[in-house]
Amino acid sequence: MAEPFPPTRRSSLPPARPGIPGSGLAKGLAVTLRAMTKRAHTAQYPDAQPELPPRSRGVIGLFEENCTVCMLCARECPDWCIYIDSHKETVPPAAPGGRERSRNVLDRFAIDFALCMYCGICIEVCPFDALFWSPEFEYAETDIHELTHERDKLREWMWTVPAPPALDASAEEPKELTAARKTADKLAAEQAAQADEQAAQAEPTAPQEGEA
């Protein structure tokens, strides 16, 4: 019959020797003395601005021209700190005989930074690139209710958003740029063909032989 518990094995390590009394205090005082003899590197904020790391998270900037009021950012926000109001407008048809369309018009876009936990989910889920991280961090208020910033303030922070890092030289060009370049080249070719045709029509024709 097997034993219910295996036999206890003794550790092969030697027993710890007691240290010298007060050695820990002496080491701590030695660290303190070394630090006291060195010059402090304290930045006197706000006279000296800190050097922020690239792509640091400060506040959220809004590029409202790209916002389609899809409400995806407000629905995915875990803190429910995004407030959006909109209304619908009827757009006339682009061509004669077309059909009228309705589109959402943004009335209010506000973020309560007293609730925001800077998770960045709203920026990640935005399908139209309307929200961006800004390194701006100096927006303290004396009243917590004033930390709810409307879209005009969010738009001002948009201009402090740094440019995205450059792509790798060997990377493929984004599909959006490729499609836009093809469209621009096609349009330029059509315009050049029209200009050549107009120039040919404007040139006077030479008289043929036998004509007076």
Side-chain angles (χ1 to χ4, degrees):
M1 182 176 179
E3 296 181 0
F5 299 101
T8 304
R9 295 182 179 179
R10 296 182 178 180
S11 175
S12 59
L13 298 176
R17 292 179 297 180
I20 301 175
S23 60
L25 178 61
K27 291 180 180 179
L29 291 176
V31 174
T32 303
L33 292 175
R34 286 197 300 268
M36 290 177 60
T37 57
K38 295 181 180 179
R39 185 177 179 182
H41 297 279
T42 304
Q44 300 297 327
Y45 177 84
D47 297 332
Q49 292 292 326
E51 295 182 2
L52 300 177
R55 314 301 298 175
S56 59
R57 296 185 177 188
V59 291
I60 299 173
L62 170 66
F63 192 62
E64 59 182 278
E65 284 79 0
N66 289 353
C67 182
T68 60
V69 199
C70 65
M71 305 293 292
L72 191 58
C73 58
R75 291 198 301 266
E76 296 295 333
C77 178
D79 290 335
W80 292 86
C81 63
I82 301 177
Y83 311 110
I84 301 176
D85 293 331
S86 65
H87 69 277
K88 289 190 175 181
E89 287 185 356
T90 302
V91 180
R99 189 172 58 179
E100 294 182 347
R101 298 180 297 106
S102 62
R103 67 183 182 95
N104 294 322
V105 180
L106 183 66
D107 293 330
R108 185 194 183 199
F109 195 107
I111 299 178
D112 186 359
F113 286 101
L115 297 177
C116 179
M117 63 180 184
Y118 305 92
C119 62
I121 293 178
C122 57
I123 299 176
E124 296 295 332
V125 301
C126 180
F128 301 102
D129 291 336
L131 298 174
F132 296 87
W133 279 118
S134 167
E136 184 67 34
F137 65 94
E138 296 176 318
Y139 57 96
E141 301 289 348
T142 56
D143 188 357
I144 193 173
H145 297 91
E146 296 180 359
L147 285 174
T148 301
H149 295 288
E150 301 292 334
R151 63 176 182 175
D152 54 346
K153 187 65 176 178
L154 300 179
R155 184 178 179 83
E156 292 180 5
W157 284 328
M158 181 62 204
W159 311 124
T160 63
V161 175
L167 296 176
D168 188 359
S170 59
E172 296 182 359
E173 187 180 43
K175 297 180 180 179
E176 295 82 2
L177 292 180
T178 305
R181 183 172 289 105
K182 289 182 178 179
T183 303
D185 294 342
K186 182 179 179 180
L187 181 60
E190 292 177 356
Q191 292 177 353
Q194 292 178 359
D196 294 342
E197 184 179 355
Q198 293 176 358
Q201 293 177 356
E203 291 180 357
T205 56
Q208 299 179 357
E209 295 181 0
E211 291 184 356

